[in-house]
Amino acid sequence: MSAGASPVPAMSGTGYASCHHGEILQGVFLDARGRRCAALVTLPLTGLGTRADAVLRPGAGPGCHSVDPPDRTKALRAAALALRECRARRPQSALGGLELRLSGDVPLGLGMGSSSSDVIAAVRAVADACGLRLPSRTVARIAVRAERASDPLMLDGRPLLFAQREGRVLEVLGDALPPAVVVGCALGGGRPVDTLSLPVPAYGDDDVRAYERLRALLRRAVTEGDTQLLGHVSTESARRAQRVLRHREFDRLTRVAGRTGAVGVQIAHSGSVAGLIFDPAAPDLEARLRRCVRALNHEAIPVTRTFTTSTTSTTSTTSSTTSEESRHGRAHRRRDRPARPDTPGRRARLSAL
């Protein structure tokens, strides 16, 4: 900087990303070229998420970056990659050091996409500070580079078959999931799962055929709004995942589902969060939900929250939508906030487990 020149002011931005409630379907599938791809379909969940605040200090040296909390290294890596991307799009920008701060209420290690939520919020915050809004495909590419595999939280709320290690959509299954009410719970006492310690499953031709069959059934469930079929797909996917996860409560969970009239169960394939899926059109729904909660408590499986896949049910404590704008918020709106611990109308908080 020349003598007498005014210092370049710091630039700040915010970003927000919600989490999910584990997977409806996860396995190995064929892409359009017939190549095997690991992919998943997540169950959206709003009301929990990560807020990122980024401050860019042009006077600081390049690479002078920090994050709070300091253990969120994936988010910091993503923020640095986003900064490089923004610099390529606006070469005239004087981008120097980066200060990143993360806050939110997504439980860690339960398979709810906490690291993806951190990463995507961080990318959005940096882009906001640079006066940019990066395309979702760019955010996905950065997220995969930062954490090796990413959940599709940067995309809209439609049911997507997403190749998490490649950051690309294999198929848009439809406009919205069938209507469902989900009673959430946590297996293993809600203890975090070390996903890096899980064995890598070896998939054969029979596995590919089985997952492709479930993919076709899920596509039909979405097209026809068939909640019963949604529950079947989710249960079968969860059952196949037990070869790796081996949840001790899995059989008890399915028995509770059968006794209380749930159409199926849903389990995070890399964590301990789970849910029992109910058809909102079922007779005596409220009574079924109460029986389900009592049965889970009797089995010593902690109940967490009840939510829906639509915005119209009166039993919902959180809801998913089909709009990226409403799910994640505009990156540059400072009013975006993750839900606070005193948010009313919630039966339980996962973060308290």
Side-chain angles (χ1 to χ4, degrees):
M1 182 184 304
S2 60
S6 300
V8 180
M11 299 174 290
S12 63
T14 63
Y16 180 77
S18 60
C19 65
H20 61 77
H21 200 264
E23 286 73 36
I24 295 170
L25 175 61
Q26 182 171 351
V28 63
F29 306 87
L30 300 178
D31 68 6
R33 294 177 293 174
R35 186 171 63 90
R36 291 183 182 183
C37 292
L40 49 79
V41 181
T42 57
L43 178 60
L45 174 67
T46 56
L48 299 178
T50 300
R51 174 190 168 97
D53 293 276
V55 178
L56 308 181
R57 300 193 182 280
C64 184
H65 306 325
S66 65
V67 63
D68 181 28
D71 62 339
R72 307 298 174 86
T73 54
K74 293 179 182 178
L76 183 61
R77 188 180 311 132
L81 291 170
L83 194 59
R84 190 180 306 166
E85 179 72 27
C86 293
R87 175 64 172 163
R89 291 170 181 259
R90 288 192 174 176
Q92 73 277 13
S93 301
L95 306 180
L98 163 68
E99 296 175 8
L100 180 66
R101 181 176 179 81
L102 302 172
S103 59
D105 48 11
V106 184
L108 304 180
L110 298 192
M112 298 178 68
S114 59
S115 62
S116 291
S117 181
D118 287 351
V119 161
I120 294 163
V123 171
R124 287 175 168 164
V126 169
D128 183 39
C130 296
L132 295 172
R133 188 173 180 83
L134 297 176
S136 295
R137 69 176 69 89
T138 302
V139 178
R141 172 171 52 81
I142 292 173
V144 169
R145 286 189 63 189
E147 56 173 341
R148 293 193 296 179
S150 174
D151 294 312
L153 302 176
M154 74 294 295
L155 299 168
D156 60 29
R158 293 179 296 172
L160 309 168
L161 184 63
F162 184 76
Q164 69 271 25
R165 296 173 189 165
E166 302 176 29
R168 64 188 178 103
V169 176
L170 299 187
E171 181 181 356
V172 179
L173 297 166
D175 291 331
L177 289 172
V181 179
V182 182
V183 177
C185 57
L187 307 181
R191 290 183 296 275
V193 173
D194 181 7
T195 56
L196 296 179
S197 68
L198 295 175
V200 178
Y203 293 118
D205 292 340
D206 289 344
D207 295 300
V208 175
R209 283 190 289 269
Y211 282 117
E212 281 294 329
R213 185 165 55 251
L214 291 176
R215 173 186 185 174
L217 290 175
L218 182 56
R219 185 190 304 120
R220 194 177 99 198
V222 170
T223 300
E224 299 177 0
D226 190 331
T227 308
Q228 187 86 25
L229 190 53
L230 171 72
H232 169 74
V233 170
S234 182
T235 301
E236 289 307 305
S237 180
R239 194 183 306 279
R240 296 184 70 86
Q242 294 313 299
R243 293 181 296 177
V244 175
L245 293 176
R246 298 186 177 91
H247 287 301
R248 291 179 298 174
E249 304 99 327
F250 181 75
D251 289 339
R252 283 183 280 157
L253 193 70
T254 55
R255 283 198 298 269
V256 170
R259 292 201 307 267
T260 59
V263 299
V265 300
Q266 171 266 329
I267 293 179
H269 290 207
S270 60
S272 56
V273 70
L276 287 85
I277 303 172
F278 288 84
D279 187 340
D284 301 321
L285 175 64
E286 291 288 350
R288 292 173 188 246
L289 298 179
R290 288 194 294 270
R291 287 200 302 271
C292 178
V293 170
R294 287 197 299 269
L296 289 172
N297 288 333
H298 178 74
E299 296 287 352
I301 300 175
V303 177
T304 55
R305 60 176 55 233
T306 301
F307 63 98
T308 74
T309 57
S310 68
T311 58
T312 56
S313 173
T314 57
T315 58
S316 172
T317 57
T318 60
S319 61
S320 63
T321 69
T322 57
S323 165
E324 181 179 6
E325 185 75 12
S326 57
R327 285 187 69 228
H328 304 304
R330 292 180 60 84
H332 8 341
R333 288 183 183 166
R334 291 184 178 276
R335 63 182 174 83
D336 290 336
R337 294 291 191 278
R340 297 181 61 83
D342 56 355
T343 303
R346 291 185 179 157
R347 297 183 182 180
R349 298 286 299 178
L350 279 169
S351 53
L353 294 175

